[in-house]
Amino acid sequence: SVVSSHCPHGNRHIFADLVRSVNPAIRVAATRKTCPGLRELDKKAVVLGGGNPHRTNLSDGILIKDNHLALISLNDSIKKAKSRSRHYKIEVEVTSADDAVRAAHAGSDIIMFDNMSVEQVRRSLDALRSSGLRDRVIIEISGGIDAENILDYAALGVDMISIGAGRVTGVWCEYLGTFHSNWFIYNKTVYNTY
């Protein structure tokens, strides 16, 4: 059988531990994007690797993305989402410091910095701190994260780094440079064929 794993020979937590050595409170999370038909294996691999499976599908929370904000204002989208759900956290994808501050003021529970550089995230966190809003929100970063920059993002003090389930494996394998002949890669997920 095919057993999804993150690292050969029992070193499964190296990647998550490495990221947590820079930021002990951080969650390394996988997005809902998984290999078709292998969602459970991908999510299991993330857990075995010390990560958090995070979202399983779109119904796990309310995520307000840029395409939604093209149709409705940030404030109105958060207000409407809060009026329709008392149980789900409201997460808003932002691409600027101003939007992050506006989302926090409007009551977003989670702010996702999507495809922002380390410096853009730093400026956004500074803006949230100077507005007295940083501690009111969970900060998630996503997009453009790789083995070369993940520790820089973690060092900023963000709460969560989310990357595709396959990328959780791929990023740490890039970082460690570890591949063995009994492992194969499918959709950026490493599988052990033992």
Side-chain angles (χ1 to χ4, degrees), residues 65-66 93-95 112-117 120-121 140-144:
K65 295 181 61 67
D66 57 349
E93 178 184 289
V94 301
T95 56
M112 180 198 299
F113 297 130
D114 190 43
N115 291 305
M116 293 173 67
S117 70
Q120 288 173 311
V121 172
E140 176 180 353
I141 59 167
S142 185

Side-chain angles (χ1 to χ4, degrees), residues 48-150:
L48 289 174
N52 184 299
H54 194 28
R55 291 185 287 273
T56 303
N57 58 52
L58 289 174
S59 68
D60 287 345
I62 298 174
L63 177 58
I64 301 168
K65 295 181 61 67
D66 57 349
N67 54 333
H68 303 125
L69 297 173
L71 301 172
I72 185 171
S73 75
L74 185 90
N75 287 342
D76 287 345
S77 64
I78 293 170
K79 182 178 177 182
K80 285 184 183 208
K82 285 197 166 287
S83 74
R84 287 174 170 78
S85 175
R86 296 173 191 212
H87 306 289
Y88 291 116
K89 296 222 180 260
I90 310 297
E91 181 169 2
V92 178
E93 178 184 289
V94 301
T95 56
S96 72
D98 290 340
D99 285 346
V101 170
R102 287 189 308 125
H105 270 297
S108 178
D109 300 299
I110 305 168
I111 297 175
M112 180 198 299
F113 297 130
D114 190 43
N115 291 305
M116 293 173 67
S117 70
V118 172
E119 188 53 40
Q120 288 173 311
V121 172
R122 180 180 288 113
R123 283 194 304 268
S124 297
L125 290 170
D126 289 345
L128 287 166
R129 282 186 197 101
S130 67
S131 299
L133 298 168
R134 170 57 184 101
D135 293 334
R136 292 164 72 182
V137 294
I138 294 169
I139 299 297
E140 176 180 353
I141 59 167
S142 185
I145 299 162
D146 59 32
E148 293 181 21
N149 64 21
I150 193 165

